[in-house]
Amino acid sequence: MCVEKAWRKVMAISARTCWLFVLGLGCLPLDAQGGDPDSRQAKRLETTRQLSLLIDNEWDWRLREQPTFAAYLGDRRHNSRWPDVSLKAINRRHGHRRAVLKQLAAIDRNILAPGDRLNYDLFRRQYAVSVESHAHRWFLVPLTARDGIQDASSTADVIRFEQVEDYRQWLARLRSFREYMEQTIALMQVGLKERRVHDREVMVRVPAQIARQIVDDPRKSLFYKPFRSFPESVSLSDREKLRGEAVQAISDVVVPAYRHFLKFFNDSYLPGCFPRAGVWQMPRGKEFYAFRCRRFTTTDLTPSQIHDIGKREVKRIRGEMEKVIRQTKFDGSFREFLDFMRTDPRFYYKNAEDLLAAYREVTKRIDPHLVRLFRRLPRIPYGVEAIPMHLAPDTTTAYYRPPSADGLRAGTYFVNLYRPEVRPKYEIEALSLHEAVPGHHLQISLAMELENVPPFRRFGGYTAFIEGWGLYSESLGEELGLYKDPYSKFGQLTYEMWRAVRLVVDTGMHYDGWTRKQAIAFFAENTAKTLFDIENEIDRYIAWPGQALAYKIGELKIQELRRLSEKTLGDKFDVREFHEVVLSRGAVTLDLLEEQVREWLRDQGP
């Protein structure tokens, strides 16, 4: 099935969502709701149709406005364009979202069936958060040391180049790149004036990333990658023509744009960045950070409350770690054990090939045992690949890329092979559980396969749920036959401690004025992660304020709900049923997750 047909099918499924709920998913009998049954049914059908149409239209609008996101999902319709990131376009989109919220308010939520009320609530929250976010003007900080226009070439990695038109669309992007760059620089210039910038200690990484895009030979450009090989469907004459046009576009447009950007960044932007970490330095910075806490955790927790939760978790996990240390018979202090774990050669591979093989072996070991804990498994597979080397030095240990929406690109668990001598063996099991299965690949792929929800839920979600599930998945290792030696178990506790530490250092830097050095020291005192990893992590928190809080807050809620379920059901508790309930509606806010678990428990009866 071609992508265009696949997307029409997606939209058709979305439009049918409302009708599926109307036809019997949890609705009260119409004559029990008061009023004339026929008129109420007609009103419900019309209200549901209005909501479904609005949601579907807005999904299509989002794909038009975010063409690189559309490409990420496998939708080819907008592959000839970069996003419009001009201030005019940003303000236009803000106005559009405000208008949509008014349209949504005119829809009678109370008459909707339960499933459509959920769609309504999640859709409203998404737009309300975007509107609130606009006032804080974070769009004036369009790049970090981890991602941004300096890595725009990676867009090609998610596009399937199968016909001449795919290459022509990429050429159109190359030729229009100058405008995209000028818009980005314009945002950064306004950011400098308004003092909405990043920490200079982190942004010093960016010039080298920009410089990688400045090449003398266009054929060595990362943007040229699609033209290095062609499918048989592209003729030899077309190949030569396309390559020639790519060389010219890279030489005339792309490389000069990056040269201009590098000069601006070094001469103006970097000197204007804050000399230390923390968004508290921005206008209304503490208010902005409190908003980010609410946004990413989907709770009303304040930065101070989150900071205190982090400290309690650090203390609790520290006790668990000391129990494991005693099992190893190690003769020394906690700090000495951390140094031992960081430095002993037995815990490290000497080359990247062996490290990659170890990651793949662990995932293959996990896969057969998933049926113990889950009723449903994803239909689409995943692979384990190396993070591209031009990104590896400046990014984290691993990450996951979901499948394409059309199912033609599998999920990918990317692992960092840069400097294998600082990437310990004892973290591989926990990391694989989080990023692959039963973590991100299982949860995200199952959400994408849901048939009775609109696309904004299938391909979106909430960090607190998604990352909370990933961290919860790490705790399932023993149930899946992992963590059999104490060092691997200590690695899992190190990863849990890592997420607890985040609550302390993220709030510390962005709200309480901690320095980067303080945050690194606190991290190093409590985890066995290497200093190289710690610095990359701290720089990530600086660049992405509040996001890292979602992991531990989400995991704590899922663990709380599992304990509640085990206590309530006793011998009747089935972990597979519990996981099915948690995953059944895709990624939702934590309050809605608690609501669906408690409803399930009520339905189980005495």
Side-chain angles (χ1 to χ4, degrees), residues 575-591:
V575 68
R576 293 176 302 168
E577 291 296 328
F578 172 75
H579 289 158
E580 180 68 16
V581 171
V582 170
L583 299 173
S584 62
R585 298 196 296 186
V588 296
T589 57
L590 296 185
D591 59 327

Side-chain angles (χ1 to χ4, degrees), residues 471-483:
L471 181 49
Y472 168 77
S473 295
E474 295 174 26
S475 72
L476 300 176
E478 287 169 293
E479 295 174 77
L480 289 166
L482 275 62
Y483 306 147

